[in-house]
Amino acid sequence: MNSLQAENRKSLMLFSGRAYPELADEIGAHLGLQPTPTAAYDFANGEIFVRFEESVRGSDAFVVQSMTEPINKWLVEALIMVDALKRGSAKRITVVVPFFPYARQDKKHRGREPISARLVADMFKTAGADRILTVDLHTAQISGFFDGPVDHLFALSILADYVKKQYEGRKFTVVAPDSGRVRVAERWTDELGGCPLAFIHKTRDPLVPNEVVANRVVGDVEGRTCILVDDMIDTGGTIAKASEALFAADAGDVIVAATHGVLSDPATERLKNSRISEVVLTNTLPVPPEKNLDKLTLLSIAPLIARAISEVFSDGSVTSLFGGVS
């Protein structure tokens, strides 16, 4: 006999970083398991230590880390967790990063600039990650930066289903806050039954981050409920200026729908003082109580991520979660 046949004892193990353990717990609840107990702490000089308190040998390991602030700390912690799993002989390591860090730095605008999104992908691969699972990348090309499978999930159906139920009977126009979001807005119009599409023609100073000048509205928005869609809200400048432009063009109402609520200051103040009726986000990132506005609605991304993890573990199709579109 030239080989031994072992019984297939495939095991799924879930691991949570310290950035947003509540999301990992919620994902685990949908999967019917708890995150593996982990000892993690900071040394006095800021170095991070991680040790898993159960054996990970031969496991299909899923590391959940939401890259909230301080983003560099949680990125390093995720890399250390992956390294610990690799050295603990995990069979396959999937990094679940609902919000991919440095995603806005996906290309060079001028000379002597980094492509930081590619660097992050390379670091995960070097640390030992076999696969990445993420939600609504800033640009789809980032999925090609990682040398391995990337499961790119979309929150569109979660957000659109809520908008359809909450504002049933209204005349919608889907609005892209800039030309780069038009493709996403087109998918929204399909989801909402073929409603009109508009976009904001804007300019941005490449030397000044987070500063936007909104120009004119292109499309039919007069008297309509405008669904302003984006992948993330950081300082809120783009969204606030876009909503002002829409109301100046006689829009009837403005609803904002985005996947990632980064909500760096002064986003909360800008959204609070705007005429926007409602801001709908998913919980890919935590929203602290002081930033939880009355007009802010949070939808859970955990069921979608849990289903994707289940498909990956069972060698199923993640693409099937989106009707064959990815």
Side-chain angles (χ1 to χ4, degrees):
M1 185 167 62
N2 297 323
S3 64
L4 291 174
Q5 298 296 321
E7 181 183 353
N8 185 0
R9 295 183 299 164
K10 207 174 176 186
S11 63
L12 189 161
M13 298 185 76
L14 190 67
F15 303 87
S16 173
R18 292 177 294 166
Y20 189 14
E22 295 83 1
L23 179 59
D25 289 341
E26 191 178 349
I27 292 169
H30 284 281
L31 290 170
L33 77 163
Q34 295 179 341
T36 301
T38 303
Y41 55 82
D42 300 341
F43 287 103
N45 68 346
E47 290 182 6
I48 297 170
F49 173 84
V50 172
R51 182 181 184 273
F52 304 116
E53 298 181 344
E54 294 179 5
S55 173
V56 301
R57 184 177 298 274
S59 67
D60 204 345
F62 293 83
V63 177
V64 181
Q65 183 77 300
S66 290
M67 299 298 175
T68 185
E69 59 177 335
I71 193 166
N72 295 327
K73 175 179 179 177
W74 303 132
L75 172 58
V76 171
E77 182 177 270
L79 293 168
I80 291 172
M81 292 175 72
V82 171
D83 185 73
L85 286 166
K86 179 180 69 173
R87 297 179 190 281
S89 300
K91 184 176 182 180
R92 180 172 62 174
I93 304 168
T94 300
V95 181
V96 181
V97 274
F99 175 67
F100 194 88
Y102 290 86
R104 284 172 287 188
Q105 300 181 45
D106 62 327
K107 58 182 175 292
K108 291 177 65 172
H109 296 278
R110 296 170 298 155
R112 302 179 299 282
E113 289 185 350
I115 303 179
S116 303
R118 172 60 190 264
L119 175 61
V120 170
D122 287 344
M123 288 193 296
F124 278 130
K125 188 65 177 179
T126 300
D130 299 294
R131 193 179 195 109
I132 288 178
L133 192 155
T134 189
V135 182
D136 281 340
L137 289 168
H138 188 61
T139 55
Q141 71 190 41
I142 296 172
S143 62
F145 291 171
F146 183 74
D147 187 16
V150 175
D151 298 303
H152 185 192
L153 309 183
F154 301 99
L156 171 60
S157 60
I158 297 172
L159 295 165
D161 285 348
Y162 173 84
V163 169
K164 283 188 287 188
K165 292 175 183 176
Q166 191 72 8
Y167 298 95
E168 186 177 3
R170 295 206 190 180
K171 294 181 178 179
F172 294 129
T173 291
V174 177
V175 182
D178 55 47
S179 57
R181 297 291 108 190
V182 169
R183 181 70 190 98
V184 174
E186 286 175 343
R187 294 180 61 195
W188 266 85
T189 62
D190 293 340
E191 195 76 17
L192 296 177
C195 62
L197 170 67
F199 74 94
I200 310 291
H201 181 270
K202 74 173 186 181
T203 57
R204 184 191 294 272
D205 186 347
L207 301 178
V208 183
N210 299 119
E211 287 292 333
V212 171
V213 178
N215 292 330
R216 62 191 182 91
V217 177
V218 180
D220 179 19
V221 301
E222 185 175 353
R224 305 181 71 90
T225 296
C226 294
I227 313 299
L228 189 57
V229 299
D230 210 345
D231 64 318
M232 73 174 77
I233 300 177
D234 190 355
T235 62
T238 295
I239 293 298
K241 290 285 180 65
S243 67
E244 291 172 6
L246 289 170
F247 282 116
D250 297 324
D253 198 3
V254 175
I255 313 298
V256 173
T259 303
H260 310 295
V262 181
L263 301 181
S264 305
D265 290 334
T268 304
E269 199 66 26
R270 283 173 170 167
L271 295 173
K272 180 180 178 181
N273 295 331
S274 71
R275 295 170 60 190
I276 296 168
S277 295
E278 185 176 13
V279 179
V280 187
L281 301 171
T282 72
N283 64 340
T284 56
L285 293 168
V287 177
E290 65 272 16
K291 295 184 178 181
N292 201 345
L293 304 171
D294 290 339
K295 65 173 70 175
L296 179 61
T297 299
L298 278 180
L299 306 178
S300 179
I301 200 72
L304 177 63
I305 293 177
R307 286 167 59 202
I309 288 175
S310 181
E311 289 292 340
V312 171
F313 176 64
S314 62
D315 296 321
S317 172
V318 176
T319 304
S320 66
L321 301 178
F322 310 104
V325 178
S326 66

